[in-house]
Amino acid sequence: EAAVTQSPRSKVAVTGGKVTLSCHQTNNHDYMYWYRQDTGHGLRLIHYSYVADSTEKGDIPDGYKASRPSQENFSLILELASLSQTAVYFCASSWDWGDYEQYFGPGTRLTVL
Amino acid sequence: AQSVTQPDARVTVSEGASLQLRCKYSYSGTPYLFWYVQYPRQGLQLLLKYYSGDPVVQGVNGFEAEFIKSNSSFHLRKASVHWSDSAVYFCAVSPSSNTNKVVFGTGTRLQVLP
């Protein structure tokens, strides 16, 4: 069965610190995505990737970087964490774009103090 | 740019009652449409999707949705809900063009009372 895992599942970070969220998928999917979920906003796309060693900006990329070192792994990096980045972050993968289902990880709850 | 509106942030129904969760989208063409469900402390899971053909699509656990192009709607329905259906439901749209961006609605939290 398709699987997307995320680590850590929760994290408390200090303002100005560096945070790395990791995602691993065993689906053999080319596409991977990072979303953030905030109350009242649903899911918003931060970064995505369709091939290793390449990432693309989503709708809200400011303050975030992404890294795709291999097909299976996709990281989200907050170089200088801010209070406004407190949210739940989801990683997802899919075969392709369009009508293809996205498979989501369980999420990472990030609290920036 | 496409957008998705789920006008009801919360819906409460009694077990065994019928359900309709509303979704309207804004897009000039015919998009790909999805409903996802998020159970507590879990990621989103696909319930159903529409991309062409019969406007009524069947999903898992007795859910169905109807694509009405004239109304730009894709409402989710279930004839008889169970307490285990309590979750957050997201409508999503993907343009039927060369893009891999999916736009999600804000979600509807469903509470089913026993």
Side-chain angles (χ1 to χ4, degrees):
Chain A
E1 186 173 326
V4 180
T5 56
Q6 294 182 231
S7 62
R9 290 295 309 275
S10 67
K11 183 172 181 63
V12 178
V14 296
T15 302
K18 182 177 181 179
V19 176
T20 300
L21 307 182
S22 299
C23 178
H24 178 80
Q25 55 105 352
T26 58
N27 305 329
N28 200 32
H29 289 166
D30 286 329
Y31 287 82
M32 295 188 75
Y33 314 83
W34 275 106
Y35 294 92
R36 67 175 279 171
Q37 183 181 37
D38 301 275
T39 303
H41 285 280
L43 273 71
R44 292 182 288 175
L45 182 65
I46 306 170
H47 285 287
Y48 64 97
S49 168
Y50 53 85
V51 67
D53 295 322
S54 177
T55 63
E56 305 291 334
K57 294 181 178 180
D59 298 321
I60 54 164
D62 293 345
Y64 303 93
K65 293 183 179 179
S67 173
R68 182 91 181 271
S70 63
Q71 186 192 43
E72 299 80 16
N73 296 294
F74 192 36
S75 298
L76 185 68
I77 304 152
L78 290 65
E79 294 279 3
L80 295 170
S82 67
L83 294 174
S84 64
Q85 293 176 313
T86 293
V88 179
Y89 292 84
F90 287 99
C91 177
S93 72
S94 68
W95 283 113
D96 204 334
W97 53 270
D99 68 328
Y100 285 86
E101 173 185 0
Q102 293 190 15
Y103 293 83
F104 285 81
T108 295
R109 182 173 297 276
L110 175 64
T111 302
V112 182
L113 302 176
Chain B
Q2 69 272 24
S3 66
V4 179
T5 300
Q6 294 182 248
D8 304 309
R10 289 178 177 270
V11 170
T12 300
V13 298
S14 298
E15 193 169 30
S18 63
L19 172 70
Q20 177 173 277
L21 301 182
R22 297 183 290 166
C23 172
K24 296 200 73 172
Y25 66 90
S26 173
Y27 180 65
S28 58
T30 299
Y32 302 121
L33 297 162
F34 307 82
W35 275 100
Y36 284 86
V37 60
Q38 183 183 26
Y39 297 105
R41 295 173 297 282
Q42 296 185 27
L44 281 68
Q45 304 169 37
L46 183 70
L47 269 181
L48 50 80
K49 66 179 181 182
Y50 171 83
Y51 56 94
S52 68
D54 189 338
V56 179
V57 291
Q58 305 296 322
V60 298
N61 297 332
F63 286 93
E64 68 174 28
E66 183 174 8
F67 168 58
I68 303 179
K69 187 174 183 177
S70 61
N71 196 37
S72 298
S73 67
F74 190 56
H75 301 330
L76 182 70
R77 304 188 297 236
K78 187 171 184 179
S80 177
V81 296
H82 187 264
W83 64 267
S84 60
D85 293 325
S86 296
V88 181
Y89 293 79
F90 291 93
C91 182
V93 59
S94 176
S96 54
S97 61
N98 191 12
T99 175
N100 48 36
K101 292 186 180 182
V102 176
V103 176
F104 289 83
T106 53
T108 297
R109 181 175 298 276
L110 172 66
Q111 181 179 17
V112 180
L113 302 176

